[in-house]
Structures are given as C-alpha cells and as structure tokens.
Amino acid sequence: MNNNMIKITDLEKYYRTEEVETIALNKLSIEVKEGEFVAVMGPSGCGKSTLLNILGLLDDADGGSFVFNGIEVAGYNERKRADLRKRNIGFVFQSFNLIDELTVFENVELPLIYNNVKAADRKKRVEEVLDNLKIMHRRNHYPQQLSGGQQQRVAVARAVVNSPKLILADEPTGNLDSSNGNEVMQLLTELNEKGTTIVMVTHSEHDARYSHRIIRMLDGHSVTENILI
Amino acid sequence: MFKNYLKIAWRNLWRSKSFSFLNISGLAIGIAAASLIIIWLLNEVSYDRFHTNANRIYNVYNSDLNDGKIGCWNTTPKVMAKAIQQDYPEVETVVRVNWPQQLLFTVGDKKLKAAGNFVDSGFLKMFSFPLIKGTANTVLNNNYSIVITESLSKKLFGNEEAVGKTVLLDNQDNFTVTGVLKDIPTNTQFDFEYLIPWSYMRTKGWDDDFWGNNSTNTFVQLKKEASLASIAPKIKTLRSKYDKESPKMETFLYPISRSYLYGRFDNGKESGGRIETIRLFAIIAIFIILIACINFMNLSTARSEKRAKEVGIRKVVGAEKKSLIGQFLGESILISFIAGVLALIIITISLPYFADLVQKKLSINFSDYRFWLAGFGIILFTGLLAGSYPALYLSGFKPVAVLKGTFKKVNALVTPRKVLVVTQFAFAIILIIGAIIVRQQLLNAQDRQTGYSKDNLVYSFLEGDIEKNYSLIKNELLSSGIATSVTKTSAPITEGWSNSWGIEWQGKNPHDKTVIDRYCADDDICKTAGLQIVQGRDIDLDKYPTDSLAMLLNESAVKHMKFTEPLGQIIKDNDKDWHVVGVVKDFILKSPYRPIEPMIIEGAAGWFNVIQIKMNTIKSTRKNLAAAEAIFKKYNPNYPFEYKFVDEQYAKKFDNEKRTGKLAGLFAFLTIFISCLGLFGLASYMAETRIKEIGVRKVLGASVFSITRMLSKDFLTLVIIAFAVGAPLAFWGMYKWLQDYPYHITIEWWVFALAGFTAILIALLTVSYQAIKAAVANPVKSLRTE
Ligand SMILES: Nc1ncnc2c1ncn2[C@@H]1O[C@H](COP(=O)(O)OP(=O)(O)O)[C@@H](O)[C@H]1O
Ligand SMILES: [Mg+2]
C-alpha cells in the first residue's frame, strides 16, 4: 500500500517507583502505514496507553527505535517533540479532556493558536470543523453544558481542526453510551476515508471492527495482528 | 494568543472567586503597605537634595578630642564665616544661619508668632527656596528687610500684596517685606516662615567676633571646579590661625545632602543616624511584598491539581513550555494589576493616617509621571516575582502524567511551599517580638522615676516684659492663689540647654574635662519642680539674701566631685563663686534612656529664659490658666500668653520610640494578616483535596476532633519551625537595638513565648476553621462526588 508513517522497533518503556519496576513495553515492534486505521486491543495494564503516548510524542521511550514519517525521533528533546506534535498529531481521549474555562469554539481553536494561525483563518477553520461535526450551534457553550457525546465530538473537532496526518485515540468511546459511541466511530471512519491515519485503543470488539487491522497486546508485547480488510 | 491568555486568566479569576479574593487582597495589602513605606522613605532620602547646588553645599563641622574621644558638632563661631571666605579660593559663598527664633509679628491689630532664621544675604542664592515675589540677589540686602513665606503672608496680610508692607517685630523694630517665598518643602532640615538678614543682628549688637562662642550654623558652597579633597586638608587647621583658646580644634566640611540621613558621629566617624531606620524599613517593605507574593505562590501551586489538566491539554494540542510560562505570568501580572489598583485606593485613603504616624507631611503627586512609572514598576515586579515560581512549576507538568490521572501531589518532607510558609511566619514572629520589646522598652523608660513632679507644672518663656515685671507677676500668681510656687529658670525642666567642662571645684583633677549640666533657678526650685532634697536646703532668697550665689548639686555631681561634705563647698563657674547650699536627688533633665549626668543648679545670679509655675490644685487648671492669662496680659500686654505643660513636654521624649513601636505593631499585624490569608487558602485547598479521605475516615468512625487535629497538624509544625527560625533572629536584632539605649530592659523569655503562642494560636484559628468545616461535612456527600 503506502509508506510507513510509523515504524517502531524493539521499543522499551519502564516505570520505576520506589518499590517496583514495571515493564510497560517490552521490545515492541509495530508498523503503521499512511492512511491506515489501526485498533490496539489488550487487557488493562498491558501498555496500550503507554504505546499511544510514545507514538504521540508525549512521552519518551527507554529503548528501541521510533521512526516517524521516515525520521528517527527517539531521543528528541521536549521542544522538538512539541513542535513535531503540534503540526502532525491530533489526540482524542476517553475522558474528553476539554478545558472547562474555555467555550467549545475556544477549545477547538486552541491548536490553531499554538500553530500561529491568524485569527481570521482560525475562525474560518473552526467554524468549518464545527459545522462538519454538527456542533456549530453549541459553539458558545462551556464543556459542562454538553452531553458526553457532544463533548467527545468537540474533542474530535479539536483533534482534526489542524488537519493532522495522524490521530491517536485512547478509548474514545469508553465514557459514552453505544449510540454516542457509534457516532464517534462514524466520525473517525470518515476522517480516515479522507486520508487521516488513525491509531485507536479500544476495549470494544465492536468498535475495533471499524478499523483495518487489530493489534493485540499482552504484557507490553504485540501478540497477534488481525487484518480486517 | 495574548487575548486567549487574558480571557482564560479572567475566567479563572472569576470562577474561583474565593481564591482570587484571597490572592488579590493579600497582594493589595502587601503592595499598599510597602508603597506607604516607600513614599515615606523617598521623602526621607530626598532631604536637601533638591537644591540646585546640593552637591556643592557643605555644613561646617568642628571636631575635637575630649576625654580621649573625638567629638563632632556643627555650631561654629560667628566670625568663622569671614575667615573661610577670605582664606580659601575654592569657596564661592559662605552663609550663616542662626538658631530658629520665635518672633512676635505685629501688623495693625494682628499679633502672631512665627519661627524663622537670621541668615546671611547669600542664603537664597545658595539654597533653592523659590521666591514668588522679589529676587534672590537683593531681598536680604537691607538691615530691615524681611522675607516671609506664602502662608505667613496669608496670615499677616490676607490676600493683599505683602511686598512693601511693614511689620513690627517683637515690639522693637519695623521691617519691610521684600520678598515672598513659596512655602518651604518638608524634606529639608530648615524650618522657617521668615528670613531676616544677618546685618540686622549686627545693628543690634548680637553679632560677635569671639572664636570661643560656637553658636551658629555655617554653610559653605564650593566653586564648580573646586573639590572637597583640595580644601579639606587646608580647612582642617583653620583654627590654629585664629582661635587662641582652642587652636587644635579641627574644622571639616560635611555635605548637606548627607547630614539629615548620616549626620551622627561617634568618635569622629559617621555612625549611622536616620539611615539605619531607613534601611530597616526598606527591608520591612521588601519583606511585606515578598510575603504577599509568597501567598500568591502558595495558593497558585496548591491549586496545581486543578490547573494540571489544563496544562496537559494545552501541551497535547501543541503548547510549548515557554508559551505556558507566558500564560501563567500573564495571569499573575493581571492579578497584581488588579491588586495594584486596589492598593492605590488603600494608599490614598490611608496615607494621611500613615503620615500622621510617621510625623511627616506625605503626599502623592499624581501628575508626576515618575509616580505612575514606579507604580507600574511595582505591579510588574510583584506580578513577575509572585508568578515566576508557579509558572515554572505548573508549566513543567508532564501531559502524560496529568491526563492519565496518575498525577499526585508530592508530599515530601521539604517542599518549596512549606519553606515559603515558614518564611512568612518567621518574619511575622520577628515583627511580633520586635513590637513587644520596643513597647516594653518604652514602658520601662516611661516608668522610670523622673525625680521631679510633673503634675500641675506649667511654664512660659520670658518674652517681652515678663522678665522686667517678673517679681510683680510672681507675687500676683502666688497671692491670687493660682500658684503654690513660682520659679524662674534657665530652661524648661525637661531640657538641658547648657553645660560646661570649665566648672571648677576644690580637688578637681586638672585633666578632668567631663561635661557637667548647668541649670539656673532663682528661688524655690525644689518646691516648684518637686525635687527631693537629700542634704541641706532649697534656694531661698527671702530668708538668705546671699542665695543669689547659692548652688544646688545633684547626687551624681557630688559623686563626681568626690565631696564627702558637699554643703558649704565653693564652686567656680562663669567667674563667679557659688556656694553649695543643698543636694538634690538625681532627676531626668534630658533623656529618659540615658544615665543621669552630674548637674549644678545656680542661683539668681545666673541667666533666665523660663518662668515655671506650680499650679494650685484647689481650683481647676482651666480656671487657673484663665486667671494667669489675665495677669500675664497685664504685665506683658503685647504678647499672647503661651504656656506648656511639663507632663506633655516630658511625654514628647517618647515620641520616637512610640512611633517605632506603633509601626512595628502595625506591620507585624499586616504580616500576620497577609500570612493568614494565605494559610486560610492553603487549608481550604488541603481540605478540598482530602475530602474523600476525610469521608472514608468518618465512615470508619473517626471523630471530628481527630480529623481536625490531623488536618491542622501539618500547618502547626510549620509555624513551630518558623518560630525556631524567627526567635533567634529577633533576639539578635532586638539585642542590637537595645544597645543604643544605655538605660534599657533585658530581653525576657516570656516575650518569645508570647510571640510564639500568638502566632500558633492565630495559625490554629485560621486553619481549624477549614479543618472543622471539612471534618463536620456529611461523608455521604463527599463520597458521592465520584
Ligand atoms: N506513571 C506510571 N508509573 C508507574 N507505572 C505506570 C505508570 N503508567 C503506567 N504504569 C504501568 O505500566 C503498565 C502499562 O500501563 P498502561 O499503558 O496505562 O496500560 P493500559 O493503557 O494498557 O491499561 C501498567 O502496569 C501500569 O501500572
Ligand atoms: Mg489505558
């Protein structure tokens, strides 16, 4: 198919606390191609979120290699990672993670501000996205005034407003009922169809079926991969 | 981006109102208190720096070896000015200024007293006191010209033009007003309402050429190109050429811009002076700002759990650390700006009271751009100082940690927050201890036996015809029952105006140059002032006509002169032989903080300035004074009857210490108050974050008391550590302060106990309110907020 967007090899991540050392990722190797929609599954504590954080350049690996768009990024410092992240990657979390003090519009606008987009362009882009996701009428509401499904739609809007190449979603439907969940999965599928690469962690086999490929993890390892298409 | 920051800052403020209130009010009080101090200190340091030639003007000082110590003082012979002008080409002008003098001004029916100086005609050219009318070069050229200030002109002539008008001074000579001065500012060592040319003194025969009469202030202005270094070694030996009596006495020039702040000498060297007070209060100002900033830091970082999520999200969507630092600094500057506006209101309202407290005329010049510059400077400084630590702290959060919810606040043994609380309370405790000790020292000095009776004792100065009609006045005061005793003296009983090392007695060591206080009283001094006679008798002219040459000694004098049999001794002073008729118990003539010095009281052959009246207590003081006024009016019709109460004058000796005590108390209170605002906020956040824990504990059976104790314990530990840090520092500082007073208290342990107890109690009250609130809350509620 296409080029590799992500290629990680023998990735390792440890968490050290005073008493114990946890191996969260144990020589994990996976690849994700441009335009793919990949689901990551596995029991709680097997390292899915850790993997996503590293893919999203939020966290450092302790060993192994991570090639993003053909560039080795393992060992990047925080500033370089932040720079790469804000231009390329969008996030969707289980718990929405909207800023309570900002309105829907302002929350979605945030990535554009940090990418130094001009105010007029920002307005256009945000309105476009809100329109697409059918939450335009809520633009001046604060997150607490919205239902869970609406909040997650705002979070998705925020993740895509910057047209990132990659969207990372950590249990995006975890806090939603099934109809709201399906709506969000629909959104992600549409985005993927327009060319955005998506890596999604999920516990739901139903949601996983929206993807092209399922990576199953156990104890920081990738065990199997099911190709769905 | 900036707008976005401002927006979120504003909403944050609005959303957490109680946090914002604590933060802003703490900062506002801190900024206001520090600003008041700064306004005061700026006034102090600007003393006599506003003269155009300020850096070329010097006050002439003498220095002389006495008793193995170098003494420095700034009264010079009147002739010295001429010698300086003649002998040193570096000198541009020399100006003499004699002691301030109260004169009676008469214009038509109007009579009033005003204080001013006799000055050489160059005075207004040397010093920059602007004239509204007249020119500086000529206004003081005639013997009978007078320059008055605008407000004196108003009092004398209303709105009429003063220049050209005539005033009668002290019922003796007519003067013509030649100039009107703008009222002189408060930040100068001079204090006059009129200036009269020195040449008038010459016409009256008050000028003299004696090198031994050190009685006037002399100021020198050097030429622009001249340097102090070149003239100093030459002028040092000035007296060797002219002064036959003390040729070895040295002369030096001291910059006027320093004399107010630094002009205190100890053994020939500058030894502090007001600058010490200024440094002390500058430190206090800085600390108060710091303490208010610490509140801000503590409250902001305590709220970090709330802000952590926002930081995480912003980072995930692309924020860099530096833009987050910018955001948080922006917030703190916004808060400090609001606090600054509030502080300005507080300052405007409280400035008159504060000015009253420090006994200065202080005002804010709102049209001065420097005021606004300083104001914004302080706001910016405070905002940056307060915001820097929270900004670094909050912006450092790792998004992974905070968003995953694994973010836990650190509960280390030593955290910056704890250090900050300790700093705050240590400073508060130091101020409390300081305030108590200053107050103790004050009370102790006030309690000291004066050795005379201040009650019902009033005095008046011998003005106009009082001295001439003295015996008539005295008789009438006594016969009409107003007074029980009347005595004429050289000075008020609360002031020593004269002393000498030239007094001689039998057996005096010829090298003894100890200065002995000299006082004169014509008659009945022991009765009038209530002095206690230890040996012999009071001076009594009625019974013993030779008592005009009688003398009383105080006990210290007897001891110093080593008399075993003081009565009957002959003592030489001013070419007169005085015979000792009595010994009085030591009494405080000058400072209640110093040991009492040897003193002699000379009889009616001495010189007199004051009439002292012991009131009869049968009638009320008001009636007595009204009756006395009638008598004085009769014998001295041209002067208003003015009198002073000795007890009030005595109380003035404590003004400085009272002021220091009040200021220390005020700032101790403010520090405690601001610190408690912060503590209150911290405690409420602590209760909030532990609400679930408290709920669980209660469900498991914990009592309200045990939960309150658990929540308060941490804070109390901090206050106790603060005490351990602050108490030794306070001891050290106050010990040094007390050394300035030869008569002083010893520091006692209970002061520390009291201060520590107070701080702990206040902290406990502050914290326990929140703790109890959390402890009595229904656990079902808190546990449901899952
Ligand atoms: N900050 C951390 N400190 C210590 N251990 C951690 C931390 N984050 C995750 N872990 C551990 O790493 C392992 C993987 O965690 P995570 O990636 O969150 O799993 P998942 O998302 O698959 O449930 C778990 O055992 C977890 O306990
Ligand atoms: Mg997870």
Side-chain angles (χ1 to χ4, degrees):
Chain A
M1 215 163 90
N2 298 324
N3 299 332
N4 272 343
M5 166 163 276
I6 293 165
K7 179 177 168 56
I8 59 174
T9 325
D10 291 341
L11 201 69
E12 290 178 308
K13 177 77 187 175
Y14 314 110
Y15 290 111
R16 282 177 204 91
T17 56
E18 276 150 37
E19 303 96 42
V20 286
E21 187 183 272
T22 316
I23 304 175
L25 295 179
N26 187 4
K27 296 207 179 292
L28 177 71
S29 302
I30 54 171
E31 288 176 13
V32 177
K33 297 217 171 348
E34 242 179 74
E36 251 194 313
F37 186 166
V38 178
V40 178
M41 298 192 73
S44 196
C46 70
K48 306 181 294 292
S49 296
T50 306
L51 169 65
L52 225 56
N53 289 334
I54 293 174
L55 293 183
L57 297 162
L58 289 174
D59 209 353
D60 250 346
D62 292 318
S65 133
F66 174 15
V67 177
F68 184 80
N69 267 339
I71 303 160
E72 177 62 67
V73 294
Y76 261 31
N77 66 20
E78 170 150 7
R79 209 180 50 74
K80 274 174 135 176
R81 280 190 287 161
D83 194 51
L84 205 58
R85 180 169 68 232
K86 75 178 177 192
R87 285 186 287 112
N88 295 298
I89 304 170
F91 285 88
V92 181
F93 300 94
Q94 176 179 356
S95 52
F96 323 136
N97 281 335
L98 300 173
I99 296 180
D100 297 334
E101 285 77 17
L102 297 181
T103 61
V104 165
F105 183 93
E106 289 159 352
N107 263 292
V108 175
E109 188 188 21
L110 219 46
L112 299 177
I113 290 177
Y114 287 120
N115 274 294
N116 298 322
V117 178
K118 284 203 204 72
D121 292 346
R122 289 208 300 264
K123 188 158 183 287
K124 218 177 88 205
R125 291 280 298 128
V126 174
E127 281 174 356
E128 221 173 272
V129 173
L130 291 179
D131 226 17
N132 267 340
L133 297 181
K134 301 181 188 67
I135 36 175
M136 192 55 185
H137 58 298
R138 298 287 192 186
R139 53 176 294 176
N140 289 324
H141 289 215
Y142 286 92
Q144 293 96 320
Q145 299 166 325
L146 304 178
S147 73
Q150 287 169 325
Q151 286 191 43
Q152 195 61 305
R153 252 190 289 165
V154 177
V156 173
R158 186 180 62 189
V160 303
V161 70
N162 204 21
S163 318
K165 296 190 183 72
L166 173 66
I167 286 184
L168 300 169
D170 197 344
E171 302 186 35
T173 59
N175 282 1
L176 302 177
D177 60 35
S178 60
S179 81
N180 273 321
N182 283 340
E183 239 173 74
V184 168
M185 289 316 299
Q186 210 61 54
L187 277 175
L188 291 178
T189 312
E190 281 166 26
L191 285 169
N192 177 246
E193 280 162 2
K194 287 179 194 154
T196 313
T197 313
I198 295 178
V199 179
M200 173 184 76
V201 168
T202 181
H203 281 297
S204 146
E205 293 287 347
H206 170 266
D207 287 354
R209 249 173 266 133
Y210 285 88
S211 69
H212 305 159
R213 177 159 65 103
I214 303 175
I215 298 174
R216 291 188 193 275
M217 286 178 65
L218 193 66
D219 290 345
H221 254 333
S222 157
V223 272
T224 50
E225 298 197 2
N226 312 33
I227 312 253
L228 299 174
I229 41 171
Chain B
M1 179 128 42
F2 182 72
K3 220 176 95 196
N4 181 277
Y5 290 164
L6 205 64
K7 201 153 52 187
I8 201 161
W10 183 251
R11 285 184 199 153
N12 258 318
L13 278 183
W14 197 243
R15 189 149 304 199
S16 34
K17 285 188 202 67
S18 59
F19 162 81
S20 310
F21 173 78
L22 291 176
N23 235 342
I24 291 174
S25 52
L27 267 186
I29 295 170
I31 293 177
S35 302
L36 286 174
I37 295 178
I38 292 170
I39 291 171
W40 167 41
L41 297 189
L42 284 180
N43 175 277
E44 294 270 291
V45 299
S46 67
Y47 256 68
D48 281 321
R49 285 182 203 239
F50 58 86
H51 304 292
T52 319
N53 302 318
N55 53 4
R56 290 196 277 144
I57 307 176
Y58 300 86
N59 196 350
V60 181
Y61 268 70
N62 313 295
S63 79
D64 196 22
L65 197 64
N66 192 355
D67 245 0
K69 272 197 159 180
I70 303 169
C72 299
W73 70 102
N74 64 353
T75 46
T76 60
K78 297 191 180 87
V79 282
M80 189 185 263
K82 202 163 78 192
I84 294 176
Q85 185 82 72
Q86 277 170 2
D87 290 4
Y88 307 105
E90 292 91 341
V91 171
E92 193 166 295
T93 9
V94 186
V95 163
R96 289 166 294 184
V97 179
N98 84 327
W99 293 111
Q101 204 113 35
Q102 280 253 343
L103 294 180
L104 181 72
F105 283 67
T106 312
V107 174
D109 298 338
K110 217 177 272 175
K111 283 180 199 297
L112 58 92
K113 282 189 187 165
N117 298 98
F118 294 103
V119 297
D120 275 316
S121 59
F123 182 85
L124 288 173
K125 277 174 275 172
M126 185 182 285
F127 298 104
S128 309
F129 296 114
L131 281 158
I132 303 171
K133 294 273 160 59
T135 46
N137 284 333
T138 57
V139 282
L140 291 170
N141 281 359
N142 287 321
N143 296 353
Y144 294 97
S145 36
I146 184 169
V147 175
I148 56 178
T149 61
E150 201 178 0
S151 46
L152 182 58
S153 163
K154 278 249 159 59
K155 281 191 266 177
L156 290 171
F157 306 107
N159 288 327
E160 285 172 48
E161 168 72 60
V163 172
K165 292 236 162 57
T166 306
V167 288
L168 176 65
L169 292 192
D170 266 15
N171 288 314
Q172 289 176 24
D173 292 302
N174 278 308
F175 282 74
T176 308
V177 177
T178 50
V180 178
L181 285 164
K182 243 174 103 170
D183 283 348
I184 63 166
T186 51
N187 53 347
T188 171
Q189 57 181 293
F190 297 104
D191 185 10
F192 56 80
E193 287 186 280
Y194 69 80
L195 296 172
I196 289 176
W198 191 274
S199 52
Y200 171 71
M201 305 230 319
R202 220 160 25 230
T203 66
K204 301 296 279 186
W206 296 340
D207 202 4
D208 65 67
D209 294 337
F210 306 132
W211 278 89
N213 182 7
N214 291 299
S215 60
T216 190
N217 261 301
T218 304
F219 294 91
V220 167
Q221 180 174 323
L222 296 184
K223 287 184 181 147
K224 266 207 181 82
E225 63 283 2
S227 78
L228 180 63
S230 82
I231 190 174
K234 291 190 272 178
I235 205 167
K236 187 173 169 181
T237 55
L238 169 73
R239 292 217 186 216
S240 63
K241 187 169 158 195
Y242 297 100
D243 190 351
K244 303 278 162 318
E245 254 178 81
S246 5
K248 282 205 192 116
M249 200 185 279
E250 291 178 357
T251 308
F252 68 93
L253 300 181
Y254 191 67
I256 54 152
S257 56
R258 283 184 88 76
S259 58
Y260 179 74
L261 292 180
Y262 299 89
R264 192 170 85 184
F265 293 88
D266 186 20
N267 202 12
K269 292 206 178 65
E270 275 185 348
S271 68
R274 280 189 186 77
I275 191 70
E276 285 171 4
T277 316
I278 292 192
R279 287 200 188 109
L280 179 69
F281 278 94
I283 292 172
I284 291 180
I286 290 171
F287 260 93
I288 286 187
I289 286 260
L290 200 66
I291 275 175
C293 289
I294 287 176
N295 264 4
F296 182 93
M297 297 181 196
N298 277 340
L299 292 173
S300 302
T301 54
R303 270 173 24 112
S304 57
E305 278 100 302
K306 286 204 161 169
R307 301 298 302 266
K309 185 182 147 202
E310 182 194 332
V311 171
I313 296 168
R314 283 182 183 270
K315 282 198 171 176
V316 166
V317 302
E320 282 170 41
K321 190 169 169 158
K322 67 166 192 266
S323 71
L324 286 169
I325 291 178
Q327 178 190 340
F328 287 119
L329 282 182
E331 264 177 47
S332 65
I333 290 170
L334 175 71
I335 287 183
S336 105
F337 182 78
I338 298 172
V341 173
L342 213 63
L344 187 60
I345 297 170
I346 299 176
I347 293 168
T348 315
I349 294 171
S350 60
L351 189 62
Y353 302 99
F354 183 73
D356 200 41
L357 187 59
V358 298
Q359 287 160 357
K360 280 271 143 69
K361 278 191 202 133
L362 300 176
S363 60
I364 301 173
N365 185 359
F366 287 106
S367 59
D368 190 346
Y369 73 97
R370 282 174 303 181
F371 166 77
W372 296 105
L373 210 64
F376 282 109
I378 289 177
I379 287 172
L380 209 63
F381 171 79
T382 312
L384 290 175
L385 181 67
S388 54
Y389 169 62
L392 287 174
Y393 179 74
L394 293 170
S395 64
F397 288 147
K398 292 241 178 325
V400 187
V402 293
L403 293 181
K404 232 173 17 185
T406 50
F407 172 78
K408 280 268 145 50
K409 67 167 198 268
V410 272
N411 218 350
L413 199 60
V414 182
T415 63
R417 208 182 300 162
K418 288 179 183 170
V419 172
L420 292 177
V421 172
V422 167
T423 312
Q424 275 187 322
F425 273 83
F427 186 63
I429 286 167
I430 290 174
L431 279 178
I432 296 177
I433 292 174
I436 298 177
I437 289 180
V438 170
R439 180 146 181 78
Q440 261 191 303
Q441 163 71 358
L442 178 68
L443 289 177
N444 176 61
Q446 279 175 334
D447 279 353
R448 190 175 171 192
Q449 291 292 330
T450 50
Y452 60 89
S453 162
K454 305 186 289 276
D455 305 331
N456 304 305
L457 189 57
V458 299
Y459 66 88
S460 235
F461 290 105
L462 298 177
E463 295 167 317
D465 298 333
I466 298 179
E467 180 141 38
K468 199 174 80 195
N469 297 326
Y470 171 68
S471 42
L472 294 169
I473 295 172
K474 175 176 175 174
N475 281 339
E476 211 158 312
L477 286 170
L478 291 173
S479 61
S480 61
I482 296 168
T484 55
S485 181
V486 176
T487 303
K488 173 167 89 154
T489 59
S490 55
I493 193 84
T494 50
E495 288 167 51
W497 280 3
S498 176
N499 55 34
S500 169
W501 46 266
I503 295 160
E504 285 170 33
W505 61 90
Q506 201 174 10
K508 183 183 182 182
N509 176 346
H511 299 298
D512 181 355
K513 279 200 169 183
T514 306
V515 175
I516 291 175
D517 282 324
R518 178 199 285 131
Y519 199 75
C520 305
D522 67 329
D523 192 22
D524 285 342
I525 177 68
C526 297
K527 189 170 172 206
T528 306
L531 305 181
Q532 296 168 43
I533 300 169
V534 210
Q535 266 187 68
R537 57 173 178 84
D538 202 350
I539 300 177
D540 190 343
L541 275 173
D542 295 339
K543 247 197 218 157
Y544 308 95
T546 57
D547 262 10
S548 60
L549 281 169
M551 177 175 276
L552 300 174
L553 303 178
N554 73 354
E555 287 176 302
S556 296
V558 173
K559 209 151 123 211
H560 179 75
M561 295 170 180
K562 301 205 176 71
F563 289 149
T564 45
E565 189 45 68
L567 298 183
Q569 295 278 356
I570 301 296
I571 288 171
K572 281 191 198 311
D573 184 35
N574 280 336
D575 299 325
K576 291 193 183 86
D577 288 353
W578 309 84
H579 58 278
V580 176
V581 299
V583 176
V584 297
K585 211 166 152 55
D586 280 350
F587 67 95
I588 300 169
L589 182 67
K590 291 185 279 188
S591 166
Y593 302 105
R594 309 202 141 265
I596 291 167
E597 283 158 14
M599 172 182 185
I600 57 172
I601 300 174
E602 301 175 347
W607 42 278
F608 298 96
N609 296 302
V610 172
I611 174 168
Q612 307 210 30
I613 305 164
K614 184 74 167 184
M615 297 285 198
N616 194 334
T617 49
I618 292 171
K619 276 189 236 159
S620 74
T621 311
R622 197 174 48 80
K623 277 192 183 142
N624 275 338
L625 285 170
E629 175 163 18
I631 296 170
F632 276 88
K633 273 275 168 211
K634 185 162 132 201
Y635 293 107
N636 187 31
N638 291 319
Y639 283 76
F641 174 57
E642 282 175 357
Y643 54 86
K644 287 181 169 145
F645 288 96
V646 168
D647 51 1
E648 282 171 11
Q649 294 308 112
Y650 187 77
K652 281 196 180 152
K653 293 178 191 286
F654 302 99
D655 280 358
N656 256 329
E657 286 68 25
K658 261 189 203 151
R659 185 187 76 178
T660 312
K662 275 187 194 158
L663 285 173
L666 173 69
F667 291 119
F669 170 76
L670 287 179
T671 312
I672 281 270
F673 184 73
I674 298 172
S675 304
C676 282
L677 282 183
L679 206 57
F680 188 80
L682 277 185
S684 82
Y685 281 110
M686 170 206 62
E688 209 175 293
T689 49
R690 293 174 78 169
I691 195 153
K692 209 160 288 170
E693 175 194 345
I694 295 166
V696 173
R697 281 177 190 271
K698 278 189 82 172
V699 168
L700 296 177
S703 68
V704 170
F705 175 73
S706 72
I707 288 173
T708 308
R709 194 181 53 190
M710 173 190 88
L711 292 175
S712 310
K713 207 185 68 191
D714 288 353
F715 289 107
L716 281 193
T717 316
L718 296 184
V719 177
I720 290 167
I721 295 173
F723 177 75
V725 174
L729 285 174
F731 178 85
W732 176 74
M734 293 320 292
Y735 182 80
K736 278 191 68 179
W737 181 76
L738 284 173
Q739 297 314 302
D740 274 352
Y741 299 91
Y743 183 85
H744 64 76
I745 55 160
T746 48
I747 300 177
E748 284 166 288
W749 66 269
W750 65 260
V751 174
F752 296 88
L754 180 65
F757 182 73
T758 310
I760 288 171
L761 189 73
I762 293 173
L764 192 67
L765 287 175
T766 311
V767 173
S768 61
Y769 171 78
Q770 294 290 355
I772 291 170
K773 204 172 101 183
V776 298
N778 187 348
V780 179
K781 256 189 196 157
S782 54
L783 290 179
R784 233 188 353 225
T785 58
E786 207 31 358

